[in-house]
Amino acid sequence: MSKEYKSRSERRNAENARDEAYEDTLAATNASTTKPKQKRKVWRWVLIVLAILALIVAGVGGVLYAKSKNAADNSYKAADMKKARDVDQVLKEGKPFSILLMGTDTGELGRDYKGRTDSMMVVTINPKDRKTTIMSIPRDTLVSVPGYENQFPQKINAAYELGSSATSIKTVQDWLNVPIDYYALVNMGGLEKVVNQLDGITVKSPLTFEFNPDTAHADPGNLYSFKEGSSTFTHTGEDGKTETFDKMDGKAALAFSRMRYADPKGDYGRQERQRMVMEGILEKIKKDPTRVLSSGFIEEVGKSTQTDLTFGNVMTIGRKYLPAASEIKSDHIQGDGYMLDSGSTEVVYRDEQQRATDVLRKSLGLDAKTTGNLYGGEVSDDVLAANGVPNLTESSEKQTNSAMIEQSDQGDDESATDDLYGGE
């Protein structure tokens, strides 16, 4: 059975309480061990930067070329699945393509690239329209993972844990009816080093707040204090000494982007700050593009990335797709909160599912089509009823509250056909 929240404030309070309990448990665990303190890293903007880097890395030569190729080769891992279309031909012809970007905290605590993905985005890169579109998918989105339907209900962030990149790609394709050409998995542990490689970034805070990344509260010892409308902030260490800064290093950027439940906008407020950090990174790159071509920067990115983009693919992107960096459009899929026996989840209604499909297919230059299966993989109405979540008919009758959705261009009003990935 499930509980559908009566209001966004009720859902936000429930989510904040859940997150606060999680952070308290994490802080207590950190306090009882001599190992370095681990942080919960949910930084969608790392993924965005990765997409932009693919557009910028071009024209390298000599030793830098060798280092770049070595980093790319070390990061490469095939998806081990037949793609929905001929992706090599897509790049060869310079057509828009898509990347499923996933963020995880794997690579820490002795783990390899396995576990649930904290963040998922579909990024489309369109050089003709000179635009890159980034569609965020809530990590708690309710799905039936293809091939694992008997384990319904699942959250979409479990797809990678159940079957690695191929399963994540198939889940998103079946759910949104959008071809996924490539994937990239980012280990969040490398983000701090990337920001430091850029020698810091400048960001104005949208609100006043204090945050200790070790405790996830406004506690002394490692306290950052940010002020609304200002890029200046302070840090007070364990010795009680307070220092003032006007530029964020990696640690400060993480603290700024992590805080959630003290934000009146909840997770949407956190996403806003993450985007602001991303914009700060991109601004720094625009001022000095050669910085990201340094061997140190490329090697740091390579250590934290797994992808089925080959070095040749990246070089092709650099030659043909640079105009797509002219405009970066962010969007996100909006779900409604349900409390299931298995925990809280986000149920995306049919209208919002279709909206996301329209945006992504248009950004890829594809014909408008009906969105995919309601929950990705097949699941019976009886199973849905037993879990207290809407079936196709019920979901189609519900209307997503669009007040908090970042509206983007809608897909062309064309008739749906049976061809899954039609269009040019």
Side-chain angles (χ1 to χ4, degrees):
M1 298 300 292
S2 71
K3 173 185 177 182
E4 183 176 2
Y5 297 113
K6 296 180 179 178
S7 66
R8 294 194 178 279
S9 61
E10 179 183 351
R11 179 181 65 177
R12 184 165 60 244
N13 291 338
E15 290 173 341
N16 289 346
R18 179 193 64 204
D19 283 357
E20 186 167 353
Y22 176 90
E23 299 280 9
D24 286 343
T25 300
L26 186 61
T29 301
N30 288 335
S32 64
T33 180
T34 57
K35 292 183 179 180
K37 296 176 180 178
Q38 302 298 322
K39 303 176 181 67
R40 187 185 186 200
K41 303 177 178 73
V42 188
W43 311 318
R44 296 176 177 85
W45 45 279
V46 174
L47 308 179
I48 298 173
V49 171
L50 177 66
I52 304 308
L53 288 180
L55 300 175
I56 294 176
V57 179
V60 295
V63 175
L64 181 55
Y65 179 97
K67 287 184 177 292
S68 301
K69 188 177 189 307
N70 183 63
D73 290 345
N74 290 338
S75 298
Y76 178 80
K77 185 174 182 180
D80 294 328
M81 65 175 293
K82 181 176 175 58
K83 297 294 180 65
R85 55 184 185 169
D86 187 342
V87 293
D88 289 335
Q89 189 65 26
V90 168
L91 288 191
K92 182 178 180 180
E93 296 178 7
K95 292 183 177 181
F97 71 97
S98 64
I99 307 176
L100 176 62
L101 300 179
M102 299 176 283
T104 179
D105 64 356
T106 52
E108 298 177 325
L109 300 176
R111 290 181 292 167
D112 198 358
Y113 286 100
K114 200 63 177 176
R116 296 198 169 198
T117 50
D118 288 329
S119 302
M120 295 184 77
M121 296 178 181
V122 177
V123 176
T124 61
I125 300 174
N126 188 322
K128 181 179 179 181
D129 291 346
R130 305 176 65 85
K131 180 187 295 185
T132 294
T133 301
I134 302 160
M135 181 69 73
S136 298
I137 301 173
R139 63 179 185 172
D140 291 342
T141 298
L142 180 66
V143 295
S144 174
V145 178
Y148 300 86
E149 288 90 347
N150 62 336
Q151 298 186 36
F152 182 86
Q154 288 283 359
K155 298 178 181 180
I156 201 166
N157 65 353
Y160 184 81
E161 182 180 42
L162 290 171
S164 296
S165 57
T167 302
S168 296
I169 291 172
K170 185 167 178 54
T171 300
V172 174
Q173 285 187 158
D174 288 1
W175 183 50
L176 292 177
N177 191 9
V178 172
I180 301 299
D181 298 319
Y182 298 98
Y183 85 92
L185 183 73
V186 180
N187 164 20
M188 298 302 176
L191 178 59
E192 182 178 323
K193 295 179 181 178
V194 169
V195 174
N196 289 336
Q197 284 282 336
L198 291 173
D199 193 30
I201 58 174
T202 301
V203 179
K204 288 185 179 181
S205 179
L207 74 163
T208 298
F209 70 96
E210 295 184 329
F211 186 74
N212 182 328
D214 298 333
T215 67
H217 293 281
D219 297 325
N222 183 22
L223 186 65
Y224 289 89
S225 299
F226 301 97
K227 186 176 180 180
E228 181 179 357
S230 176
S231 59
T232 300
F233 65 94
T234 64
H235 176 257
T236 305
E238 293 183 358
D239 58 1
K241 181 180 178 181
T242 299
E243 296 183 85
T244 301
F245 304 89
D246 56 12
K247 182 171 62 174
M248 294 181 182
D249 63 3
K251 292 183 183 297
L254 298 184
F256 179 77
S257 63
R258 283 186 59 219
M259 189 276 290
R260 172 180 178 179
Y261 50 79
D263 192 312
K265 296 181 181 178
D267 193 44
Y268 292 99
R270 179 169 62 176
Q271 290 181 32
E272 176 186 3
R273 281 178 279 114
Q274 291 168 352
R275 286 193 293 271
M276 294 177 72
V277 171
M278 176 270 295
E279 290 166 1
I281 292 174
L282 295 182
E283 284 301 317
K284 197 66 176 284
I285 291 174
K286 287 179 181 179
K287 290 179 180 178
D288 184 11
T290 61
R291 185 183 292 272
V292 301
L293 297 179
S294 71
S295 60
F297 192 97
I298 291 172
E299 287 179 357
E300 287 297 345
V301 172
K303 290 176 185 177
S304 304
T305 306
Q306 177 179 294
T307 180
D308 61 347
L309 279 164
T310 66
F311 182 70
N313 292 151
V314 174
M315 297 303 292
T316 298
I317 292 168
R319 290 194 304 271
K320 296 185 176 181
Y321 290 82
L322 190 58
S326 300
E327 180 182 355
I328 312 297
K329 188 161 186 70
S330 296
D331 200 341
H332 69 268
I333 296 173
Q334 173 71 48
D336 270 12
Y338 280 68
M339 180 59 71
L340 277 59
D341 291 341
S342 56
S344 63
T345 189
E346 293 277 318
V347 174
V348 177
Y349 297 145
R350 196 64 169 171
D351 69 324
E352 175 65 356
Q353 185 184 4
Q354 183 66 60
R355 186 192 72 84
T357 295
D358 291 344
V359 170
L360 291 171
R361 290 190 67 90
K362 182 177 181 180
S363 68
L364 287 171
L366 300 176
D367 294 341
K369 299 289 177 67
T370 301
T371 189
N373 295 332
L374 183 61
Y375 295 105
E378 298 293 342
V379 56
S380 70
D381 285 356
D382 289 342
V383 171
L384 296 177
N387 284 276
V389 295
N391 58 30
L392 179 59
T393 300
E394 294 164 340
S395 180
S396 299
E397 293 172 348
K398 290 179 177 289
Q399 189 71 24
T400 299
N401 184 343
S402 60
M404 301 182 72
I405 297 176
E406 293 179 23
Q407 296 295 341
S408 59
D409 295 338
Q410 300 299 301
D412 293 334
D413 231 359
E414 298 180 36
S415 301
T417 73
D418 294 331
D419 181 13
L420 186 59
Y421 299 111
E424 293 299 322

